[in-house]
Each structure stands twice: as C-alpha cells, then as structure tokens.
Amino acid sequence: MKYILGILLSILIIYLLLLLLLRDGQSNLSFETSELNNIPLKVPTGFLWGTATSSHQAEGNSNNNNWFLFESEKDNTGKPRIKEGQKAGIAADHWNRYKEDIKLMKSLGVNAFRFSVEWSKIEPQEGVFDESALDHYEEVVDELKASGIEPVITLHHFTNPIWFEKKGAFEEDNSPNVFARYISKVVKRLNKKVEYWITVNEPTVYAFNGYFFGEFPPAEKNMDKAALVFRNILIAHSEAYLAIKQINLNAKVGIATAIYAFDPNSWWNIADVVGAYYANRNMNEEVLDYITNGRFDFYFPTISKLEYQSDVINSFDFVGVNYYTRFVIRFNPFNDKSYQEVKQTFAEYKTDMNWEIYPEGLYRALKQVSTFTNKPIFISENGIADDGDTKRPSFIKNHLLVMNKAIADGMNVKGYFYWTLMDNFEWAQGFSKRFGLYKVDFNTQERILREGSKVYPEMIKKFTEY
Ligand code: FCB
C-alpha cells in the first residue's frame, strides 16, 4: 500500500512540476486600468506613428498573383474559397488614389506608413521586371516623403506572382534566391529614399494558413509541408537581409512576425498545457530564434519535426510585431491532424473576427521579443475589425496604454502601426471585415473617418505633447 501511495505521489509531483515548467510565466497577465492610466505617456524621440496596408488588400488590379487565382477557386465541397465568393478586384483602389490616401494619413497626424510592394506587378514573368511598376512605387515614396511621412516597405505580404507559385513557391529550396533577386531589384531602385524594409510579413501565417489550415493558397493541409515552407521563407528572409545590406549597409531591415498569446484551455490538463507550450514555441519563438541565432527547430509532437541551422545570425535591425489576440489550445484526440483545437478565446469581448480583445497580450508579445533582443521593436500591425465602430476607441486606447507601460518598463518599442488605414480586402474573409480607420464605400470608393477612429490621432497628440 505504502509503495503504491509513494508511486502515486511521485507521479503527482512530476505532473505538477511539468505543469510549472511548461507554463508560460506571463499567462493570465492582467493590468488594472488605473495602473495603466497612472503611467505618464511617453515614447522615445523619433517614434514612428503609422498605419499599415498591403498591396493585394488595398491597391486593386493584382491579377497576376496566387490570390487572384485562389479567389476564383472552390474547395472540394463546392464552396468558394473567399467568403461569399468575393474577389479583391480593384480593392480600395489605392494604386490610383494613393495621393488622396496620403492626405488622409496626414490628417491623422501620423509620420509613417507601412505598405507592401506587389511582387507580381514588379516581376510579372520570371526575370522580367516592369520598370513602370517600380516608377509607381517611387512616386508613392516621393509623395509620402513630401508629406513628412516615413515609408516602411514590406517586400512580401502573402502574395506570389503566378509563375513563382506554379514553380512551387517556398516549397522549393531555391526560392530564397529567387526572392532575393526580386528584392535586390526593388531595393536598388528605392534605397536612396527608403530607410526601413520589412522582408516578409508573418512567415507563420503564410506557411500555416496556406499549407496546414488550408485557408490561404494553395489550400493544403499538410504539416510537413507547412514546416518546410516556414523554414524556406525564413531562409528567404535572411537571404533578403544580406542582399539589402549589400546594396546599402545603412538600410534598416526587419521582419514582421505575428505573435499571438497562446494559453491552455485548462491549466490542469497537461495535454492542453503542452499544446499551448508548443504553439508558442513554434508560432512565436521560432521566428525570433531564427533571426537572432539562425536556429530553426520546428517540432510538433508526434506529427512533424524539421531542424535547420543557418550560418546567418542576427539577420535584423528591428523586429516588427503584429499583435491581434489570444488563442486557447485544447487537446482533442479525435483531430488526427494535430490532436488539438485552436479555440478563439475564453472571453465574451470579441472583435468581428471573433478574436478576443486582450491588450495584455501585446505586453506579453513585447516582453517575449525583448528576451531575444534589445534591438528596436515596431508594432507593425495592431487593429480591430469592428463594423459597428463601438469597440474601436477602447481597443486603440487600451493597446496604446499597454504599449506605454512596456516602454516605461524598458522595452525598446520604436513605432506603432495601426492596421489598417482604410477598409480593404481581408483575405479569405473578403470585404466583410472592417479594420479601417477610414470606412470605405466600395461602390464609390469614398473614404470617411470613423468616429471611433478619432481616438488614434487624439492619443498620438497626447503622447507627443509630453
Ligand atoms: C494579419 C495580416 C494583415 C491583415 C490582418 C488583419 O495577419 O498581416 O494582412 O489581414 O491580419
């Protein structure tokens, strides 16, 4: 009897120790509003206040890329890939209306704009570059600079030219070289005018939505492929970093990585805790580990494993953090693809994306990045889909207050970019999800500043008055 009790007790102790070990020390982080309000608003000098967009979502007429094809496809149940069968089409017509849009930025009082250049417009066929597309982006840059707005250019934001997609995109081991050739072309043209470059937007979202969850092109559901694509797009990042530095050593180069807070559905269920641990490890830390140490060790227990060591380390001058929400991981033995479910949240308070509003997660993200590096961090995306426009003001305010606390606590945050300037094509959700500070009427392309957005310029003012 004693013997059995001893064994049971040891198992219990090991179980509890494992729980403690795998538990994210920052989970359940929660701040009192009064605490946040008591911290004087202060950002470092030269802070970038901006908004963000991407080419396919905003520009229009991106009809030579993987998303263009995807938007006409149906899945094997006959359902269109995009909600209600929508297509990006002319989107927010930003290609033609960029001057007007820059005026809209100016009236917000921002001093930076993050946007992506469309690879499929710049290199419509392999090795053939369209100088007129580069002319266009140069004009946008000139207009921004003339308005006192710092351009921050993303070189890859989910879209690939059709020729590249047909060749296997980032499944191919040669893809980083192909990518580096394209970005060299862009950087050579614009580097005298552009200081900030983001190589790749959200490597995890690109790889996993496209190759594991099947929600982005090419709609595959294969974890090994997702891991391979994830690795190759990170290699593409470090190759791009080297290529840009070769052209201009003073360029500031970073990556925009999605960081979510991941918590277990139940703190007592070790399977949930392990799931959240690996979600955090694979989805958040992997990118940070790769850019700082060149280390890639993707491991999803019992499903997939891929290791790689790059000889390029410290391949960044800043980290871009895209932060939106928290996800909850729940063990599910019946899901044989991952043995888990990614649930939206514990909370009632959600955005139109059904995402929990959890500002503390931004603090967790910034802290996590700060454990890897002291280099500058830009919050390269943060925003809310809120068609009713009732939650936007508190969303913006609370995330900025949390950012302010992170800065007061010594984190090296040097910029904040609200996603997004004006409503646009929200990928698989089509036009239904309204993240814009400006509401867009897609029949007339009229832009109107939402009431709830006004808190953004007001907060910028308060921050800069101090
Ligand atoms: C991010 C994407 C961005 C936008 C927001 C809502 O994952 O980078 O393009 O769709 O989500």
Side-chain angles (χ1 to χ4, degrees), residues 188-204:
K188 271 186 193 142
R189 169 65 88 92
L190 297 175
N191 91 86
K192 293 214 170 66
K193 299 176 175 178
V194 176
E195 188 177 357
Y196 295 97
W197 299 95
I198 291 178
T199 53
V200 172
N201 181 66
E202 300 187 344
T204 52

Side-chain angles (χ1 to χ4, degrees), residues 53-54 57 114 157-158 201-202 205 209 216 256 258 260 322 324 353 355 381 383-385 419-420 424-427 433 435:
T53 63
S54 87
Q57 295 177 275
R114 176 184 170 216
H157 197 125
F158 296 162
N201 181 66
E202 300 187 344
V205 175
N209 276 6
F216 282 11
Y260 299 98
N322 294 358
Y324 287 94
M353 296 290 276
W355 289 346
E381 283 181 32
I384 178 169
W419 182 273
T420 178
N424 56 42
F425 180 74
E426 181 44 41
W427 307 115
K433 298 293 180 272
F435 281 87

Side-chain angles (χ1 to χ4, degrees), residues 324-377:
Y324 287 94
T325 190
R326 154 163 68 181
F327 291 117
V328 171
I329 307 294
R330 180 186 195 171
F331 178 61
N332 176 357
F334 302 108
N335 176 352
D336 63 353
K337 286 229 175 319
S338 65
Y339 301 112
Q340 67 183 28
E341 288 164 40
V342 182
K343 296 203 338 180
Q344 298 288 21
T345 90
F346 302 110
E348 290 300 304
Y349 201 49
K350 296 178 185 174
T351 74
D352 291 352
M353 296 290 276
N354 205 22
W355 289 346
E356 175 187 4
I357 299 178
Y358 178 55
E360 283 86 348
L362 176 61
Y363 190 93
R364 287 169 63 173
L366 297 171
K367 182 113 196 186
Q368 185 165 33
V369 177
S370 308
T371 61
F372 280 84
T373 181
N374 293 324
K375 290 185 187 180
I377 306 172

Side-chain angles (χ1 to χ4, degrees), residues 53 113-118 122 137-138 140-141 144 150-156 182 186-187 190-191 193-200 244 252-254 318 417:
T53 63
F113 180 46
R114 176 184 170 216
F115 65 103
S116 73
V117 292
E118 177 59 37
I122 294 170
Y137 291 119
E138 192 166 352
V140 174
V141 166
L144 285 166
E150 187 71 42
V152 177
I153 295 190
T154 313
L155 292 155
H156 186 273
Y182 142 71
V186 179
V187 175
L190 297 175
N191 91 86
K193 299 176 175 178
V194 176
E195 188 177 357
Y196 295 97
W197 299 95
I198 291 178
T199 53
V200 172
I244 299 172
K252 299 206 170 78
V253 185
F318 64 87
F417 295 77

Side-chain angles (χ1 to χ4, degrees), residues 19 22 262-266 269-283 299-301 327-332 338-342:
L19 282 182
L22 296 176
F262 289 108
D263 282 334
N265 186 61
S266 157
N269 185 339
I270 189 93
D272 291 358
V273 175
V274 168
Y277 171 84
Y278 279 106
N280 180 47
R281 168 72 211 148
N282 291 325
M283 298 295 129
Y299 178 52
F300 201 103
F327 291 117
V328 171
I329 307 294
R330 180 186 195 171
F331 178 61
N332 176 357
S338 65
Y339 301 112
Q340 67 183 28
E341 288 164 40
V342 182

Side-chain angles (χ1 to χ4, degrees), residues 389 392-393 437 448-456 458:
D389 199 32
R392 190 169 276 104
L437 292 174
I448 296 172
L449 185 65
R450 291 195 159 92
E451 257 328 288
S453 304
K454 294 186 177 161
V455 71
Y456 188 42
E458 282 162 18

